[in-house]
Amino acid sequence: MNDQGGSITADDVAALAGVSRWTVNRAFKKDASISAKSREKVMKAAQELGYVPDLLATSLATDRTNLVALLVDDFANPHKLIMMERLTRILRRNGYDTLLVNTSDEEDASAALLNASQRRVDAAVLIGVSFNDQSLETALGAKRVKKLIVFARMSSNDNTISICCDDRAAMTAITQHVFSAGYRNPVFIAGPQSQSAHLQRKETFLSQWEKTTGSRPKFASVERYDPKLAYDLVAEWFRDTPKSELPDVLVCENDALAMGAIDAIRFELGLRVSEDIAVTGFDNAPQASSPHYELTTYRQPLTEMAEALVDVLEGRKRKSTLNAFQGQLIVRKSA
Amino acid sequence: MNDQGGSITADDVAALAGVSRWTVNRAFKKDASISAKSREKVMKAAQELGYVPDLLATSLATDRTNLVALLVDDFANPHKLIMMERLTRILRRNGYDTLLVNTSDEEDASAALLNASQRRVDAAVLIGVSFNDQSLETALGAKRVKKLIVFARMSSNDNTISICCDDRAAMTAITQHVFSAGYRNPVFIAGPQSQSAHLQRKETFLSQWEKTTGSRPKFASVERYDPKLAYDLVAEWFRDTPKSELPDVLVCENDALAMGAIDAIRFELGLRVSEDIAVTGFDNAPQASSPHYELTTYRQPLTEMAEALVDVLEGRKRKSTLNAFQGQLIVRKSA
DNA sequence: CAGAAATTTGCACGCGGGTGCAAAAAAATA
DNA sequence: TATTTTTTTGCACCCGCGTGCAAATTTCTG
């Protein structure tokens, strides 16, 4: 059967071009030994039939899928959209497809990883936040995921590759900005305190600030990077605090929290942002530039980081160069 | 070789369990004819070895991948995150995985579809906005995508299945709300005016309003569902308009536009939302409930729609029942 | 133009598992 | 217990393509 009985295979093309199936396959392979003449013949026939090599069969035969699982558990943070956009775009440009795995309602990431492994993904990339050492280890136990990569976050797990910007440098820049802008009574608002895939932001801020001023700031944390949680936290914590005892700046672990905090400052406490209490974030989410927020924040070099991810997938790139990407402090009106 | 030489196959399990490979496969198949005894033996051996059936091989053999391509071209709208979350969750629960395809930088959707087809996806689901008749047709020319589904949007293309809520009913509800709240001088703000995968919202609003009041409202449209574009549109259009000639309500095609519009009203025109100009949206995006926006909007029954999508994938469900999902008007302070 | 060297091409077999059918085993019947 | 019926199991062959090697061509020498 030729074209209609399902899909066109290399055999169909071979028949039309008058060569063997293997020659057809070679024509589609980058650096195969094939004469220009027969490649041309094959390509013409292929085009005529609308033939395209089947990735399933290819993957099965080569044990390489060019598929990457992207594990996401945090759909409340709009910045994730930006990350997804950047990652999918750059992966695709390098020949990889992306399997989107929602891990937000599984108590454990390993089930998700197992599932991805059944599709033989070349790597699993975590841009979620609530994976901890334990689930990573369990997942790795299955051993079928060839590479496990934590994106935009540190990981202390040795079996894991982490690609992220230099959190210390970034947070130091924020700290300096906050200090030299004259703020003296900061509070740090952190996200979930997980085990392995964590950020250095809180530690860095606290220690930097202590080094500079001699006093260690207070901090609080919420369970998820959800603006609503930050809102409630700020609202409840400061509602009955006399104005003189309020912090003069809230340093937030990311923009999602910062935006929740800003809303609370305005609508719960009835105060002005930056005049009464300043706020800083992290990520430069799309909404950060909105006139409502005008958020002072830090932009990670996502494109560069995504390209490093490709390098890791292709097996080049040393592990040591992957945690020092430099981003940029973005100063707006909120602090 | 047993476990370490790569992955464990059914043969390994068969050897350990003392049965043939085919018995092992049967043990993993839902309704296969196999004795309870040998299934148990197999499962024990499988567990011991950590065997899991390979989805690549299965797909190749059965011509069914349980993979769905999700095509997204609009990463500026945070509501897309919600849709992705809902879709991936429900698809996964029904045994499907999701391939995330970013079509925002391809001039044509067909390349993306072609790519997905190489992985033999069972269906392609579009939640993007800028697909038009032509690219859909081209894509279908490739014929390798078994089903093409437009989610949360109408399509006039016959080869396409569209799953969406009853836009007419929804928009009628908004129209009635706006009218009975006393607004009399509306302007409709629409997104891109594409060919096939479009919304009925604008048409419905204009005709409903005309029917009710006798006059046809003005409208404007932007090229993408991007808050910034709506911001600029509103800012420029009304900047020099005397206050008496301003509309009293902006009816927006979705929340992304509505939020941009609100920002412009406040920060460009210096007016109050709802007192001076009211605003309505559509989607009930997460930010719609933020105290900054308090957006009156309409929530689509996403879960129900996602479940209908599964029905379509499984081949049950008639086409006629797919465009009449009923959502809910959510009244907040913006209108 | 013969013979050697370099290219191309064809082919058996494998990747991991599904299908239908026939042989074997177990259960039911007489 | 012998026979028939039903349930299990094993097997050949297929899904579409890649790999290594040997056979067939082509190109290069002398």
Side-chain angles (χ1 to χ4, degrees):
Chain A
M1 58 213 73
N2 38 16
D3 63 41
Q4 56 107 319
S7 42
I8 302 101
T9 76
D11 282 307
D12 301 317
V13 179
L16 204 164
V19 295
S20 72
R21 176 172 73 71
W22 294 274
T23 302
V24 173
N25 293 161
R26 283 199 186 86
F28 279 89
K29 204 181 159 193
K30 201 65 180 281
D31 41 299
S33 89
I34 186 179
S35 67
K37 208 190 319 176
S38 37
R39 169 168 269 151
E40 197 180 345
K41 259 197 308 188
V42 168
M43 287 317 211
K44 202 171 131 254
Q47 186 140 31
E48 197 166 317
L49 294 174
Y51 167 79
V52 175
D54 185 315
L55 250 34
L56 275 187
T58 305
S59 301
L60 183 59
T62 59
D63 197 36
R64 189 167 194 276
T65 52
N66 279 33
L67 230 202
V68 171
L70 190 62
L71 311 207
V72 186
D73 66 1
D74 174 23
F75 289 83
N77 183 349
H79 182 57
K80 285 289 188 292
L81 259 185
I82 306 299
M83 289 184 128
M84 289 168 142
E85 199 281 327
R86 209 61 59 85
L87 284 169
T88 50
R89 177 205 298 262
I90 289 178
L91 284 172
R92 177 88 287 281
R93 191 178 294 164
N94 287 276
Y96 291 89
D97 283 321
T98 305
L99 201 61
L100 178 59
V101 182
N102 179 348
T103 57
S104 65
D105 71 341
E106 329 223 19
E107 48 175 329
D108 193 334
S110 39
L113 271 177
L114 175 70
N115 187 71
S117 77
Q118 285 187 268
R119 299 215 183 255
R120 300 229 211 152
V121 295
D122 289 340
V125 178
L126 278 55
I127 60 172
V129 292
S130 51
F131 303 105
N132 59 27
D133 267 315
Q134 199 174 12
S135 42
L136 289 182
E137 283 298 347
T138 316
L140 285 169
K143 258 308 196 307
R144 311 237 309 179
V145 174
K146 296 161 201 159
K147 282 177 181 153
L148 192 51
I149 297 162
V150 176
F151 192 81
R153 190 145 278 126
M154 290 290 292
S155 166
S156 55
N157 189 312
D158 274 345
N159 295 112
T160 275
I161 300 167
S162 134
I163 299 178
C164 69
C165 80
D166 186 341
D167 257 354
R168 273 186 240 278
M171 207 60 223
T172 301
I174 293 181
T175 310
Q176 281 174 355
H177 172 75
V178 166
F179 183 78
S180 58
Y183 302 105
R184 287 298 176 270
N185 189 17
V187 162
F188 192 92
I189 303 202
Q193 309 284 308
S194 79
Q195 306 282 343
S196 75
H198 69 296
L199 299 167
Q200 322 247 286
R201 294 176 197 163
K202 192 184 78 184
E203 289 81 354
T204 305
F205 178 73
L206 295 185
S207 66
Q208 290 284 330
W209 189 266
E210 191 169 14
K211 202 163 67 182
T212 312
T213 67
S215 77
R216 198 168 177 83
K218 286 187 222 157
F219 68 89
S221 66
V222 291
E223 279 187 338
R224 277 174 291 117
Y225 288 104
D226 185 329
K228 294 197 206 316
L229 295 183
Y231 185 99
D232 293 341
L233 174 75
V234 170
E236 281 170 31
W237 193 4
F238 298 122
R239 183 174 290 133
D240 305 315
T241 309
K243 197 170 169 183
S244 60
E245 290 171 31
L246 283 174
D248 55 3
V249 59
L250 300 182
V251 178
C252 302
E253 199 164 76
N254 73 13
D255 287 356
L257 300 183
M259 293 191 259
I262 288 181
D263 285 355
I265 290 171
R266 290 225 178 96
F267 297 95
E268 253 347 278
L269 311 180
L271 298 174
R272 292 162 305 167
V273 169
S274 110
E275 288 91 332
D276 296 320
I277 303 182
V279 177
T280 68
F282 204 108
D283 281 346
N284 194 33
Q287 291 74 5
S289 64
S290 132
H292 271 153
Y293 294 110
E294 287 286 356
L295 191 56
T296 291
T297 186
Y298 193 92
R299 183 180 59 220
Q300 304 176 64
L302 284 186
T303 301
E304 211 179 314
M305 288 161 63
E307 272 155 6
L309 170 59
V310 173
D311 286 339
V312 169
L313 295 178
E314 314 265 280
R316 40 186 197 264
K317 204 89 173 184
R318 295 160 315 195
K319 206 174 173 178
S320 57
T321 64
L322 294 170
N323 293 314
F325 292 95
Q326 297 298 321
Q328 195 186 351
L329 179 70
I330 296 179
V331 178
R332 298 202 182 86
K333 293 187 191 148
S334 78
Chain B
M1 60 213 73
N2 36 20
D3 61 43
Q4 55 108 319
S7 42
I8 302 101
T9 76
D11 282 306
D12 301 317
V13 179
L16 204 165
V19 296
S20 72
R21 175 172 76 71
W22 294 275
T23 303
V24 173
N25 293 160
R26 283 199 185 87
F28 279 88
K29 205 182 158 192
K30 203 65 180 276
D31 41 298
S33 89
I34 185 178
S35 67
K37 207 188 321 173
S38 38
R39 169 168 269 153
E40 198 180 344
K41 260 197 307 188
V42 168
M43 287 316 210
K44 202 171 129 256
Q47 187 140 32
E48 197 167 317
L49 295 173
Y51 167 79
V52 175
D54 186 313
L55 251 34
L56 276 186
T58 306
S59 300
L60 183 59
T62 60
D63 197 37
R64 190 166 193 278
T65 52
N66 278 38
L67 230 202
V68 172
L70 191 62
L71 310 207
V72 186
D73 66 1
D74 173 22
F75 289 83
N77 183 351
H79 182 56
K80 285 289 188 293
L81 259 185
I82 306 300
M83 289 184 130
M84 288 169 148
E85 199 281 330
R86 208 62 58 86
L87 284 169
T88 50
R89 178 204 299 263
I90 289 177
L91 285 172
R92 179 88 286 280
R93 191 177 293 163
N94 288 275
Y96 291 89
D97 283 321
T98 305
L99 201 60
L100 178 59
V101 182
N102 179 347
T103 57
S104 64
D105 69 343
E106 329 221 19
E107 48 174 330
D108 193 335
S110 40
L113 273 176
L114 176 70
N115 187 70
S117 77
Q118 285 188 269
R119 297 211 183 259
R120 301 226 211 155
V121 295
D122 289 340
V125 178
L126 279 54
I127 62 172
V129 293
S130 51
F131 303 104
N132 58 25
D133 267 315
Q134 199 173 12
S135 43
L136 287 182
E137 284 297 347
T138 315
L140 285 170
K143 256 313 193 306
R144 311 238 308 180
V145 175
K146 296 161 200 159
K147 282 177 181 155
L148 193 51
I149 297 162
V150 175
F151 191 82
R153 188 145 279 125
M154 290 291 291
S155 167
S156 55
N157 189 313
D158 273 345
N159 295 112
T160 276
I161 301 167
S162 134
I163 299 178
C164 69
C165 81
D166 185 341
D167 257 354
R168 273 187 240 278
M171 207 60 224
T172 301
I174 292 182
T175 311
Q176 281 173 356
H177 172 75
V178 166
F179 183 79
S180 58
Y183 301 106
R184 287 298 176 271
N185 188 18
V187 163
F188 192 91
I189 302 201
Q193 309 284 308
S194 79
Q195 306 283 342
S196 76
H198 68 296
L199 300 166
Q200 321 248 289
R201 295 175 197 164
K202 192 184 79 184
E203 288 81 352
T204 306
F205 178 73
L206 296 185
S207 65
Q208 290 284 332
W209 190 266
E210 190 169 15
K211 202 162 68 182
T212 312
T213 68
S215 77
R216 197 167 178 82
K218 286 186 221 154
F219 68 89
S221 66
V222 290
E223 279 188 339
R224 278 173 291 118
Y225 288 105
D226 185 330
K228 294 196 206 313
L229 296 182
Y231 185 99
D232 294 341
L233 175 75
V234 171
E236 281 169 31
W237 193 3
F238 298 122
R239 184 176 290 135
D240 304 316
T241 309
K243 198 169 168 182
S244 60
E245 290 171 32
L246 284 174
D248 56 3
V249 59
L250 300 182
V251 178
C252 303
E253 199 164 75
N254 73 11
D255 287 357
L257 300 183
M259 293 191 259
I262 288 180
D263 285 355
I265 290 171
R266 290 225 179 98
F267 296 94
E268 279 306 310
L269 310 180
L271 299 173
R272 293 162 304 168
V273 170
S274 110
E275 289 90 332
D276 297 319
I277 304 182
V279 177
T280 68
F282 204 107
D283 281 346
N284 193 34
Q287 291 75 3
S289 64
S290 133
H292 272 153
Y293 295 110
E294 288 285 358
L295 191 55
T296 291
T297 185
Y298 193 91
R299 184 181 57 221
Q300 304 176 64
L302 285 186
T303 301
E304 211 179 317
M305 287 160 64
E307 272 154 6
L309 169 59
V310 173
D311 286 340
V312 170
L313 294 178
E314 314 265 284
R316 38 186 200 263
K317 203 87 172 188
R318 294 162 315 197
K319 204 172 173 178
S320 58
T321 64
L322 294 169
N323 293 314
F325 292 94
Q326 296 298 322
Q328 194 187 352
L329 180 69
I330 296 180
V331 178
R332 298 201 182 88
K333 293 187 190 147
S334 78

